[in-house]
Amino acid sequence: MNVTKETLHLATAGDAPQETFVLNLGPQHPAAHGVLRVLMTMDGEWIQRAEPIIGYIHRMHEKMGENRTWAKFLPNTSRIDYLSAMHYTHAFVGAVERAAKIEVPLRAEYARVITSELNRISSHMVWWGALLLDLGGFTPILYAFDDREKILDLLEALCGARLTYCYYRFGGLYNDVDDAFLKGTRDFVKHMQPRLKMYRDLVTDNIILRKRLEEIGPISAELCRKYGATGPVIRGSGVAYDVRRAEPYSVYPKLDFKIPVYHECDSMARYMVRMDEMEQSLRIIDQALDQIPAGPFIGKVPRVLKLPVGETCYAVEAARGRFMVRIVSDGKEIPYRVKLRTPSFSNLSLYEEASRGMILPDALAMMGSLDLVIPDIDR
Amino acid sequence: MNPSLEQLTADYTALAGQVETCDFALKGYHLSVAVPSNQVVAAAEIADRAGFSIDAVTGVDWIAQNEMEVVYDFFHFTSPLRVVVRTRVPRAEPELPTISAVFPGANWHERETHDFFGICFTGHPNMKPFLLPEDATFHPLRKDYQP
Amino acid sequence: MMKFLTIEPVRVLLYLVGIIAFTAANAAYLVLAERKGAGRIQRRPGPNEAGWAGILQPVADGIKLLAKQVMVPPGTDSLLFRAAPLMVMAPPLLCLAVIPFGDTIVACNLNIGLLFVFSFGSINVMALMLGGWASRNKFAIISSARVVSQNVAYEIPMLLVVITMLMVTGTMNLGEIVRQQAGGFWHWNLLKVWVNPFMPVTFIIFFICMLAETNRAPFDMAEAESELVAGAFTEYGGMGFGVFFMAEYANIVVGCSLATILFLGGWQSPIGVLSGGWFGAAWFLVKLYALIFTVIWIRWTFPRTQFYSLLNLSWKILIPVSLVTLLLTGVMMKIL
């Protein structure tokens, strides 16, 4: 305990001088969703400073990118954020296609949109269940996983993997979307719409949940800008920033969907953004299923891929926000540099400032509303 | 307030920068600015004033030229405009000022860059190993790194 | 031989052995019921491997917990650390001694049964606090502080409700309270609206306070596993943890028994037929387990409340409302 002039004054006024203690949350803690460690300086249950300490599952994907060919790095991209693997593969594939000027057939683009949006829904499902677990509600996660299972079955039938898909290839896809998948996806959309309504009735409108999330953990748009937070975090702070609209890629410009925006800046706003996004994803899938043309599923790609010298960026809207790949090529078969800009990294970096002065359960509720995936932060 | 490409170009040219306008469909950004390493804070301030947000800070090791490149990516929430600011520092003494006072979010990105490349950001509040182990003395993304 | 069994000390001893056996078996099978209930609510089978439909699961759990080493972490206050599980288990056992399971099935027919239950019931808080404090773990200490403030807050409305009931019944003898509610469900205290129109509200307040006092969801601030790992029990392993766990269920049984006796007519039949003797005990158990099921149901449906809204609920809503019911009952008893 440090007796300063300030605390001495408090002590003479009859109050106890301020004492703090350090709470080491993690790296093994139920609320950390993985191996995130937060060093909290606490004043009672109030947080004075919460410093995230990361790197416990750092795997150096960027170095791995520099010692294998472009195509051999593809499976790595699924493993950065294992919950939204499709988006990450999409960004890397997109960057290489942009640099090598590879044409992608329209059917492949539509298939990418469908699978990406399915992946977005399944990722939000995990987040939803995990957030409710953080808040002490055990049941929703099993309902969420029940629905997520249907998506995983669909994607498994398509590419053989249930989590780390690696389904996209330079110039197209690993294999064609068959009729069974298209029909299954249509059935899933029909199945999912009433389920989302049920989630709203059962969980979103629950008074305890609203008390736990409303006006808790405010993050202003300015704070997001200074820290580069994206995705549902920024859309919950009243900014309609979505890479699908800001830097249009694939066939998103041809599809009609809304960017859900809430202006409350609190945890509930971020919650509502994700719930609405699932609905919008269903809309996108529905339209893409109507529009998907027949044709080849992969374009012409040279057998040995050598990219022209130079630098290319490609960003996608992953489930957690803006994911950008920056590749630098020196004209050889292997990349010179692969930079992965992950959304959770930036979203977590504002935690220290945003959590100041909050109480522990609220701070953990806010951490849940940021939707962190630790491998995505550590890379 | 959305920044215009012309205004940004003028601002960066005034900063002794080489400004290059790029085709977004080919590169993935609109404006590439190369500035001397002592001008990065000023460059970041221009981006801040124009309402940009920090996307990433990273490095590239150009071992053939014996230089290290530090790349700052900026994106904008409301206008579809992407700016890349880049600077080069000598490989022997990679030092440049931090922009974490302008963009607090750069704090983590700079720590990461320091981890991977050994580039020192002077004035950084907390330049400790970040993603690498606490006792790490190596910089794995340097091209001469031998594991 | 039978005469020997009816000597007072022997009878009480036999009842206590019976109660301990009942509590232990009850706790073990309530855990199974809870897991099965949770499974049902969460659309999964629950434990179903050990024995038929998982009927042997509690035995397996018990053996596992018993076989584990009782660890006392270094640096703890080892005496308090060991004493806390005993202190948390003893009060509900003693409370059950005065709970009438039927007209004559009661270990000790105390005249001050109600007072007895509440005075022993409040030891539970101290045991949790000591356990948390002795663990020398920050999560446990935060949890202890929460437990104390939560229980202090909820003791007040609960006792106000009990005072209201005392005014209505005029006795602290639990058997007597049940006897007053004879003759069908419209005689139950829950529906005695001519004594006090707020009677159902009183029951709800009692039930909420009971949930909070037993640290059950949505008020499980003491455990709060997503925030405080396991709260006050973080450092406990093996049977130390097992005893805390059993005590939680024993406390639920005590709380629900009291609710049954005070509001739902105890062993009385709801329609006036099939009453008395073993039928009485059956009615009591039916009501008891219906309430316990409600407790389980609530746990698996709601998320946890926030600590400060929990305290606000008590200080700003429950205490004023229970004070109003108390005054109203007094006024109505004076007038009528």
Side-chain angles (χ1 to χ4, degrees):
Chain A
M1 182 182 70
N2 298 321
V3 181
T4 61
K5 206 190 258 174
E6 218 169 279
T7 55
L8 201 66
H9 162 74
L10 280 171
T12 47
D15 296 323
Q18 210 171 22
E19 263 186 89
T20 58
F21 65 97
V22 176
L23 190 68
N24 184 20
L25 205 93
Q28 303 293 338
H29 186 276
H33 301 296
V35 283
L36 172 68
R37 177 173 165 215
V38 186
L39 208 58
M40 291 177 164
T41 310
M42 309 277 295
D43 173 16
E45 278 214 43
W46 273 268
I47 293 171
Q48 282 196 336
R49 182 160 181 269
E51 185 195 359
I53 297 172
I54 63 173
Y56 286 91
I57 47 165
H58 176 53
R59 292 149 296 169
M60 203 73 233
H61 277 300
E62 298 181 10
K63 184 73 184 171
M64 284 190 242
E66 291 180 12
N67 56 24
R68 58 200 63 196
T69 62
W70 298 101
K72 279 184 181 168
F73 186 64
L74 260 182
N76 281 58
T77 54
S78 308
R79 283 153 180 84
I80 300 162
D81 178 351
Y82 48 77
L83 289 180
S84 65
M86 288 287 186
H87 306 119
Y88 282 60
T89 318
H90 198 165
F92 183 68
V93 164
V96 171
E97 282 161 1
R98 183 174 274 172
K101 300 197 183 62
I102 299 171
E103 284 284 316
V104 183
L106 208 54
R107 184 176 176 81
E109 290 284 22
Y110 274 103
R112 283 179 183 183
V113 166
I114 293 170
T115 47
S116 279
E117 295 305 319
L118 280 176
N119 199 185
R120 192 185 310 280
I121 296 172
S122 78
S123 170
H124 283 349
M125 283 284 165
V126 177
W127 156 80
W128 184 70
L131 174 75
L132 265 293
L133 270 188
D134 278 357
L135 302 179
F138 299 91
T139 305
I141 194 167
L142 286 132
Y143 281 71
F145 270 60
D146 198 11
D147 287 334
R148 181 172 175 263
E149 193 68 20
K150 295 189 167 57
I151 301 178
L152 296 192
D153 286 346
L154 283 173
L155 295 178
E156 185 188 12
L158 205 56
C159 60
R162 289 168 70 79
L163 199 64
T164 51
Y165 307 108
C166 191
Y167 176 53
Y168 307 155
R169 292 288 186 275
F170 305 130
L173 307 166
Y174 158 62
N175 65 1
D176 198 4
V177 283
D178 51 3
D179 291 340
F181 171 79
L182 295 177
K183 189 181 172 302
T185 311
R186 229 179 241 296
D187 291 345
F188 172 76
V189 173
K190 282 203 197 81
H191 159 84
M192 199 58 211
Q193 273 150 352
R195 293 286 284 189
L196 283 176
K197 190 186 171 302
M198 187 184 86
Y199 294 160
R200 197 161 50 236
D201 293 345
L202 278 181
V203 180
T204 311
D205 290 343
N206 184 315
I207 173 101
I208 298 178
L209 180 93
R210 289 199 167 261
K211 287 240 173 204
R212 282 302 301 271
L213 294 180
E214 273 171 2
E215 289 170 35
I216 298 297
I219 298 173
S220 68
E222 180 62 12
L223 194 72
C224 289
R225 187 178 77 80
K226 289 280 190 187
Y227 281 90
T230 46
V233 178
I234 180 74
R235 292 195 282 280
S237 300
V239 180
Y241 179 79
D242 188 317
V243 184
R244 288 175 291 181
R245 285 283 186 248
E247 294 168 28
Y249 59 96
S250 201
V251 286
Y252 282 111
K254 294 183 193 168
L255 300 166
D256 170 43
F257 63 96
K258 278 206 282 288
I259 304 173
V261 178
Y262 285 80
H263 294 268
E264 288 85 1
C265 302
D266 54 4
S267 300
M268 194 68 201
R270 297 188 276 280
Y271 176 97
M272 292 308 294
V273 165
R274 291 200 182 87
M275 296 312 267
D276 288 3
E277 257 180 36
M278 283 197 256
E279 244 163 76
Q280 295 299 325
S281 289
L282 288 177
R283 263 184 75 193
I284 296 173
I285 294 171
D286 216 21
Q287 293 170 44
L289 284 172
D290 288 340
Q291 294 175 15
I292 187 166
F297 64 90
I298 190 156
K300 284 240 176 301
V301 187
R303 185 155 284 272
V304 177
L305 192 63
K306 283 184 186 172
L307 261 53
V309 179
E311 176 195 63
T312 317
C313 295
Y314 197 91
V316 298
E317 181 72 22
R320 275 150 206 85
R322 176 188 172 84
F323 174 63
M324 184 197 64
V325 174
R326 159 189 292 277
I327 52 173
V328 181
S329 168
D330 57 352
K332 298 213 182 73
E333 278 170 44
I334 57 172
Y336 191 74
R337 173 92 175 91
V338 179
K339 162 71 186 170
L340 310 161
R341 185 268 188 212
T342 52
S344 293
F345 185 86
S346 304
N347 289 358
L348 180 66
S349 68
L350 56 73
Y351 188 71
E352 183 173 341
E353 191 161 331
S355 68
R356 201 166 289 153
M358 291 173 81
I359 61 170
L360 184 64
D362 286 353
L364 293 178
M366 185 182 95
M367 194 193 276
S369 79
L370 289 178
D371 189 12
L372 303 170
V373 166
I374 313 303
D376 184 36
I377 301 167
D378 286 355
R379 304 194 295 289
Chain B
M1 175 206 66
N2 284 347
S4 72
L5 202 57
E6 295 74 37
Q7 182 61 40
L8 276 170
T9 315
D11 281 354
Y12 278 117
T13 316
L15 207 69
Q18 298 166 318
V19 184
E20 187 193 343
T21 317
C22 307
D23 183 5
F24 182 84
L26 292 179
K27 283 291 191 186
Y29 46 81
H30 300 91
L31 207 60
S32 168
V33 184
V35 295
S37 65
N38 56 0
Q39 291 289 334
V40 286
V41 180
E45 274 166 354
I46 291 174
D48 185 29
R49 274 199 298 277
F52 278 89
S53 174
I54 181 94
D55 195 359
V57 179
T58 187
V60 184
D61 183 9
W62 296 106
I63 194 164
Q65 289 102 319
N66 208 17
E67 275 178 333
M68 293 255 201
E69 187 178 23
V70 181
V71 186
Y72 300 83
D73 284 271
F74 298 103
F75 70 103
H76 203 280
F77 281 154
T78 48
S79 88
L81 202 56
R82 297 257 290 98
V83 173
V84 177
V85 175
R86 56 187 85 233
T87 182
R88 296 220 173 190
V89 286
R91 236 174 147 264
E93 197 195 353
E95 263 193 15
L96 73 166
T98 173
I99 64 159
S100 59
V102 186
F103 285 104
N107 184 321
W108 281 24
H109 291 290
E110 285 177 353
R111 273 176 82 181
E112 184 200 303
T113 311
H114 176 253
D115 264 16
F116 292 173
F117 292 93
I119 297 170
C120 256
F121 292 88
T122 51
H124 190 282
N126 191 15
M127 197 98 264
K128 286 187 305 197
F130 191 43
L131 289 167
L132 297 185
E134 290 158 357
D135 53 352
T137 51
F138 49 88
H139 303 294
L141 283 186
R142 287 190 173 201
K143 289 286 173 187
D144 54 358
Y145 167 71
Q146 293 297 331
Chain C
M1 185 62 193
M2 284 305 282
K3 194 152 184 247
F4 168 74
L5 287 179
T6 51
I7 307 169
E8 184 65 15
V10 177
R11 196 182 66 87
V12 171
L13 197 69
L14 283 177
Y15 264 107
L16 272 179
V17 170
I19 283 167
I20 291 173
F22 171 76
T23 319
N26 209 12
Y29 276 88
L30 274 182
V31 176
L32 181 68
E34 169 126 46
R35 289 169 69 179
K36 279 281 182 191
R40 178 99 190 123
I41 290 167
Q42 297 175 345
R43 305 168 16 119
R44 58 189 174 84
N48 62 352
E49 288 296 320
W52 174 79
I55 204 86
L56 293 178
Q57 188 67 39
V59 182
D61 285 347
I63 292 171
K64 186 199 79 173
L65 284 174
L66 280 171
K68 281 192 170 178
Q69 186 189 1
V70 179
M71 261 264 297
V72 182
T76 54
D77 187 328
S78 59
L79 179 70
L80 287 183
F81 188 81
R82 288 201 177 93
L86 300 179
M87 286 175 67
V88 81
M89 195 62 206
L93 289 180
L94 287 170
C95 290
L96 279 170
V98 297
I99 299 279
F101 287 84
D103 203 353
T104 52
I105 314 170
V106 54
C108 186
N109 192 5
L110 267 188
N111 266 335
I112 50 160
L114 200 54
L115 191 64
F116 182 89
V117 169
F118 279 97
S119 46
F120 275 97
S122 39
I123 293 179
N124 180 30
V125 192
M126 200 173 74
L128 279 177
M129 187 192 79
L130 285 181
W133 178 259
S135 300
R136 201 167 176 264
N137 177 309
K138 285 165 188 167
F139 292 115
I141 289 173
I142 293 179
S143 161
S144 306
R146 285 185 181 187
V147 167
V148 173
S149 44
Q150 175 183 343
N151 279 270
V152 166
Y154 277 85
E155 202 96 311
I156 298 169
M158 190 156 189
L159 288 177
L160 285 173
V161 165
V162 170
I163 292 171
T164 314
M165 296 313 296
L166 209 59
M167 283 161 65
V168 173
T169 57
T171 173
M172 282 203 197
N173 187 318
L174 293 174
E176 195 56 42
I177 291 175
V178 176
R179 260 170 232 119
Q180 287 174 359
Q181 303 178 54
F185 64 88
W186 54 93
H187 288 285
W188 292 357
N189 281 340
L190 173 67
L191 297 171
K192 278 191 180 160
V193 281
W194 58 90
V195 182
N196 178 353
F198 279 5
M199 220 52 170
V201 181
T202 328
F203 174 68
I204 291 168
I205 294 177
F206 185 87
F207 195 73
I208 292 174
C209 292
M210 197 267 294
L211 281 180
E213 290 271 302
T214 50
N215 296 316
R216 281 291 292 192
F219 307 116
D220 55 342
M221 292 299 136
E223 208 174 327
E225 67 286 304
S226 56
E227 297 153 19
L228 301 179
V229 189
F233 324 130
T234 308
E235 295 290 346
Y236 282 92
M239 214 48 209
F241 176 75
V243 169
F244 271 116
F245 211 60
M246 274 166 68
E248 185 183 324
Y249 286 96
N251 274 318
I252 294 168
V253 172
V254 172
C256 290
S257 307
L258 262 188
T260 312
I261 290 164
L262 287 177
F263 292 97
L264 301 179
W267 70 78
Q268 305 287 2
S269 156
I271 39 172
V273 294
L274 295 178
S275 56
W278 292 105
F279 282 120
W283 281 122
F284 182 81
L285 289 178
V286 165
K287 292 170 190 174
L288 176 65
Y289 284 112
L291 280 181
I292 291 176
F293 174 72
T294 315
V295 172
I296 291 174
W297 188 9
I298 288 173
R299 168 158 183 198
W300 296 104
T301 311
F302 289 119
R304 186 181 309 117
T305 53
Q306 208 263 6
F307 187 58
Y308 288 84
S309 42
L310 170 77
L311 291 185
N312 278 343
L313 175 68
S314 172
W315 291 105
K316 292 184 180 166
I317 299 174
L318 294 186
I319 291 182
V321 172
S322 50
L323 271 174
V324 167
T325 48
L326 180 67
L327 285 174
L328 199 69
T329 314
V331 169
M332 285 188 70
M333 283 174 78
K334 202 76 191 160
I335 293 169
L336 298 175

